[in-house]
Coordinates of all heavy atoms in Angstrom, one line a residue:
H72 N -23.7 -1.7 -58.7 CA -24.7 -1.2 -57.8 C -24.7 0.3 -57.8 O -23.6 0.9 -58.2 CB -24.5 -1.7 -56.3 CG -23.1 -1.7 -55.9 ND1 -22.4 -0.6 -55.5 CD2 -22.2 -2.8 -55.9 CE1 -21.1 -1.0 -55.2 NE2 -21.0 -2.2 -55.5
A73 N -25.7 1.0 -57.5 CA -25.8 2.4 -57.6 C -25.0 3.2 -56.5 O -24.4 4.2 -56.8 CB -27.3 2.8 -57.5
Q74 N -24.9 2.6 -55.3 CA -24.2 3.3 -54.2 C -22.7 3.1 -54.4 O -22.3 2.1 -55.0 CB -24.6 2.8 -52.9 CG -26.1 2.8 -52.6 CD -26.8 1.6 -53.2 OE1 -26.3 0.7 -53.9 NE2 -28.1 1.5 -52.9
P75 N -21.9 4.0 -53.9 CA -20.4 3.7 -54.0 C -20.0 2.5 -53.3 O -19.1 1.8 -53.8 CB -19.8 5.0 -53.3 CG -20.9 6.0 -53.4 CD -22.2 5.3 -53.3
W76 N -20.6 2.2 -52.1 CA -20.2 1.0 -51.3 C -21.5 0.4 -50.8 O -22.4 1.1 -50.5 CB -19.3 1.4 -50.2 CG -18.0 2.0 -50.7 CD1 -17.7 3.3 -50.8 CD2 -16.9 1.3 -51.2 NE1 -16.4 3.4 -51.4 CE2 -15.9 2.2 -51.6 CE3 -16.6 -0.1 -51.3 CZ2 -14.7 1.9 -52.1 CZ3 -15.3 -0.4 -51.8 CH2 -14.4 0.5 -52.2
V77 N -21.5 -1.0 -50.7 CA -22.6 -1.7 -50.2 C -22.1 -2.7 -49.1 O -20.9 -3.0 -49.0 CB -23.4 -2.4 -51.3 CG1 -24.0 -1.4 -52.3 CG2 -22.5 -3.4 -52.0
D78 N -23.0 -3.3 -48.4 CA -22.6 -4.3 -47.4 C -22.2 -5.6 -48.1 O -22.7 -5.8 -49.3 CB -23.7 -4.5 -46.4 CG -25.0 -5.1 -47.0 OD1 -25.8 -4.3 -47.6 OD2 -25.1 -6.3 -47.0
P79 N -21.4 -6.4 -47.5 CA -21.0 -7.6 -48.2 C -22.1 -8.6 -48.6 O -22.0 -9.2 -49.6 CB -20.1 -8.3 -47.1 CG -19.6 -7.2 -46.3 CD -20.7 -6.2 -46.2
K80 N -23.2 -8.6 -47.8 CA -24.3 -9.5 -48.2 C -24.9 -9.1 -49.5 O -25.3 -10.0 -50.3 CB -25.4 -9.5 -47.1 CG -25.0 -10.2 -45.8 CD -26.0 -10.1 -44.7 CE -27.3 -10.8 -45.1 NZ -28.3 -10.8 -44.0
S81 N -25.0 -7.8 -49.8 CA -25.5 -7.4 -51.1 C -24.6 -7.8 -52.3 O -25.1 -8.3 -53.3 CB -25.7 -5.8 -51.1 OG -26.6 -5.4 -50.1
S82 N -23.3 -7.7 -52.1 CA -22.4 -8.1 -53.1 C -22.4 -9.6 -53.3 O -22.4 -10.0 -54.5 CB -20.9 -7.7 -52.7 OG -20.8 -6.3 -52.7
E83 N -22.5 -10.3 -52.3 CA -22.6 -11.8 -52.4 C -23.9 -12.3 -53.1 O -23.8 -13.2 -53.9 CB -22.4 -12.5 -51.0 CG -21.0 -12.3 -50.4 CD -19.9 -12.9 -51.2 OE1 -20.1 -13.9 -52.0 OE2 -18.8 -12.4 -51.1
E84 N -25.0 -11.6 -52.8 CA -26.2 -11.9 -53.4 C -26.2 -11.6 -54.9 O -26.6 -12.4 -55.7 CB -27.4 -11.1 -52.8 CG -28.7 -11.4 -53.4 CD -29.1 -12.9 -53.5 OE1 -28.8 -13.6 -52.5 OE2 -29.8 -13.3 -54.5
R85 N -25.6 -10.5 -55.3 CA -25.4 -10.2 -56.7 C -24.5 -11.2 -57.4 O -24.8 -11.7 -58.5 CB -24.8 -8.8 -56.9 CG -24.6 -8.4 -58.3 CD -25.9 -8.3 -59.1 NE -25.7 -8.1 -60.5 CZ -25.8 -6.9 -61.1 NH1 -26.2 -5.8 -60.4 NH2 -25.6 -6.7 -62.4
L86 N -23.4 -11.7 -56.7 CA -22.6 -12.7 -57.3 C -23.3 -14.0 -57.5 O -23.2 -14.7 -58.5 CB -21.3 -12.9 -56.4 CG -20.3 -11.8 -56.6 CD1 -19.2 -12.0 -55.5 CD2 -19.7 -11.8 -58.0
R87 N -24.2 -14.4 -56.5 CA -25.0 -15.6 -56.7 C -25.9 -15.5 -57.9 O -26.0 -16.5 -58.6 CB -25.8 -15.9 -55.4 CG -25.0 -16.6 -54.3 CD -26.0 -17.1 -53.2 NE -26.5 -16.0 -52.4 CZ -25.8 -15.4 -51.4 NH1 -24.5 -15.7 -51.2 NH2 -26.3 -14.4 -50.7
R88 N -26.5 -14.4 -58.1 CA -27.4 -14.2 -59.3 C -26.6 -14.3 -60.6 O -27.0 -15.0 -61.5 CB -28.1 -12.9 -59.2 CG -29.2 -12.9 -58.1 CD -30.2 -11.7 -58.3 NE -29.6 -10.4 -58.6 CZ -29.3 -9.5 -57.6 NH1 -29.5 -9.8 -56.4 NH2 -28.8 -8.3 -58.0
E89 N -25.4 -13.7 -60.6 CA -24.6 -13.8 -61.8 C -24.1 -15.2 -62.1 O -24.1 -15.6 -63.2 CB -23.3 -12.8 -61.6 CG -23.7 -11.4 -61.6 CD -24.2 -10.8 -62.9 OE1 -24.1 -11.4 -64.0 OE2 -24.8 -9.7 -62.8
M90 N -23.7 -15.9 -61.0 CA -23.3 -17.3 -61.2 C -24.4 -18.2 -61.7 O -24.2 -19.2 -62.4 CB -22.7 -17.9 -59.9 CG -21.3 -17.4 -59.6 SD -20.5 -18.2 -58.2 CE -21.4 -17.4 -56.9
A91 N -25.7 -17.9 -61.2 CA -26.8 -18.7 -61.7 C -27.0 -18.5 -63.2 O -27.4 -19.4 -64.0 CB -28.1 -18.3 -60.9
F92 N -26.7 -17.3 -63.7 CA -26.9 -16.9 -65.1 C -25.7 -17.4 -65.9 O -25.9 -17.9 -67.0 CB -27.0 -15.4 -65.2 CG -27.1 -14.9 -66.6 CD1 -28.3 -15.1 -67.3 CD2 -26.0 -14.3 -67.2 CE1 -28.3 -14.6 -68.6 CE2 -26.1 -13.8 -68.5 CZ -27.3 -14.0 -69.2
D93 N -24.5 -17.3 -65.4 CA -23.3 -17.7 -66.1 C -22.3 -18.5 -65.2 O -21.5 -17.9 -64.5 CB -22.6 -16.4 -66.6 CG -21.3 -16.7 -67.4 OD1 -21.0 -17.9 -67.6 OD2 -20.6 -15.8 -67.7
P94 N -22.4 -19.8 -65.2 CA -21.5 -20.6 -64.3 C -20.0 -20.5 -64.7 O -19.2 -21.0 -63.9 CB -22.1 -22.0 -64.4 CG -22.8 -22.0 -65.7 CD -23.3 -20.6 -65.9
D95 N -19.7 -20.0 -65.8 CA -18.3 -19.9 -66.3 C -17.6 -18.6 -65.9 O -16.5 -18.3 -66.4 CB -18.2 -20.1 -67.8 CG -18.5 -21.6 -68.2 OD1 -18.2 -22.5 -67.4 OD2 -19.0 -21.8 -69.3
L96 N -18.2 -17.8 -65.1 CA -17.6 -16.5 -64.7 C -16.4 -16.7 -63.7 O -16.3 -17.7 -63.1 CB -18.6 -15.6 -64.2 CG -19.4 -15.9 -62.9 CD1 -18.5 -15.6 -61.7 CD2 -20.6 -15.1 -62.8
W97 N -15.6 -15.7 -63.7 CA -14.5 -15.6 -62.8 C -14.8 -14.6 -61.6 O -15.5 -13.6 -61.9 CB -13.3 -15.0 -63.5 CG -12.7 -15.9 -64.5 CD1 -13.2 -16.1 -65.8 CD2 -11.5 -16.6 -64.5 NE1 -12.4 -16.9 -66.5 CE2 -11.3 -17.2 -65.8 CE3 -10.5 -16.7 -63.6 CZ2 -10.2 -18.0 -66.1 CZ3 -9.4 -17.5 -63.9 CH2 -9.2 -18.1 -65.1
I98 N -14.3 -14.9 -60.4 CA -14.5 -13.9 -59.3 C -13.1 -13.7 -58.7 O -12.4 -14.7 -58.3 CB -15.4 -14.5 -58.2 CG1 -16.8 -14.7 -58.8 CG2 -15.5 -13.4 -57.1 CD1 -17.8 -15.4 -57.9
V99 N -12.7 -12.5 -58.7 CA -11.5 -12.1 -58.0 C -11.9 -11.2 -56.8 O -12.7 -10.3 -57.0 CB -10.5 -11.3 -58.9 CG1 -9.3 -10.8 -58.2 CG2 -10.2 -12.1 -60.2
E100 N -11.3 -11.5 -55.6 CA -11.6 -10.7 -54.5 C -10.4 -9.9 -54.1 O -9.3 -10.5 -53.9 CB -12.1 -11.5 -53.3 CG -12.5 -10.7 -52.1 CD -13.3 -11.4 -51.1 OE1 -13.8 -12.5 -51.4 OE2 -13.4 -10.9 -50.0
V101 N -10.5 -8.6 -53.9 CA -9.4 -7.7 -53.5 C -9.7 -7.2 -52.1 O -10.8 -6.7 -51.9 CB -9.3 -6.5 -54.5 CG1 -8.2 -5.6 -54.1 CG2 -9.0 -7.0 -55.9
E102 N -8.7 -7.2 -51.2 CA -8.9 -6.6 -49.9 C -7.9 -5.4 -49.9 O -6.7 -5.6 -50.0 CB -8.5 -7.6 -48.8 CG -9.5 -8.7 -48.7 CD -9.1 -9.7 -47.6 OE1 -7.9 -9.7 -47.1 OE2 -10.0 -10.5 -47.2
D103 N -8.5 -4.2 -49.7 CA -7.7 -3.0 -49.7 C -8.4 -2.0 -48.9 O -9.6 -1.6 -49.2 CB -7.5 -2.5 -51.1 CG -6.6 -1.3 -51.2 OD1 -5.4 -1.4 -50.9 OD2 -7.1 -0.2 -51.5
R104 N -7.8 -1.6 -47.8 CA -8.5 -0.6 -46.9 C -8.8 0.7 -47.5 O -9.7 1.4 -47.1 CB -7.6 -0.4 -45.6 CG -7.5 -1.6 -44.8 CD -6.8 -1.3 -43.4 NE -6.6 -2.5 -42.7 CZ -7.5 -3.2 -42.0 NH1 -8.8 -2.8 -42.0 NH2 -7.2 -4.3 -41.3
R105 N -8.1 1.1 -48.6 CA -8.4 2.3 -49.3 C -9.4 2.1 -50.4 O -9.9 3.1 -51.0 CB -7.1 2.9 -49.9 CG -6.1 3.3 -48.8 CD -4.9 4.1 -49.4 NE -4.0 3.2 -50.0 CZ -2.9 3.6 -50.7 NH1 -2.6 4.8 -50.8 NH2 -2.2 2.7 -51.2
G106 N -9.8 0.9 -50.6 CA -10.9 0.6 -51.6 C -10.5 0.8 -53.0 O -11.3 1.0 -53.9
R107 N -9.2 0.6 -53.3 CA -8.7 0.7 -54.7 C -9.1 -0.5 -55.5 O -9.1 -1.6 -55.0 CB -7.2 0.9 -54.7 CG -6.8 2.2 -54.0 CD -5.3 2.2 -53.8 NE -4.8 1.1 -53.0 CZ -3.5 0.8 -52.9 NH1 -2.6 1.4 -53.6 NH2 -3.1 -0.3 -52.2
C108 N -9.5 -0.3 -56.8 CA -9.9 -1.4 -57.6 C -8.9 -1.7 -58.7 O -8.9 -2.8 -59.3 CB -11.3 -1.2 -58.2 SG -11.5 0.2 -59.3

Side-chain angles (χ1 to χ4, degrees):
H72 40 82
Q74 306 84 355
W76 298 96
V77 297
D78 64 278
K80 287 176 70 174
S81 297
S82 292
E83 293 299 332
E84 178 55 34
R85 178 63 187 259
L86 283 172
R87 276 192 288 283
R88 289 195 313 265
E89 294 292 343
M90 284 187 286
F92 177 74
D93 179 9
D95 289 331
L96 62 79
W97 294 72
I98 300 173
V99 177
E100 185 166 344
V101 178
E102 292 180 344
D103 184 70
R104 292 191 187 281
R105 293 189 286 176
R107 299 173 296 167
C108 65

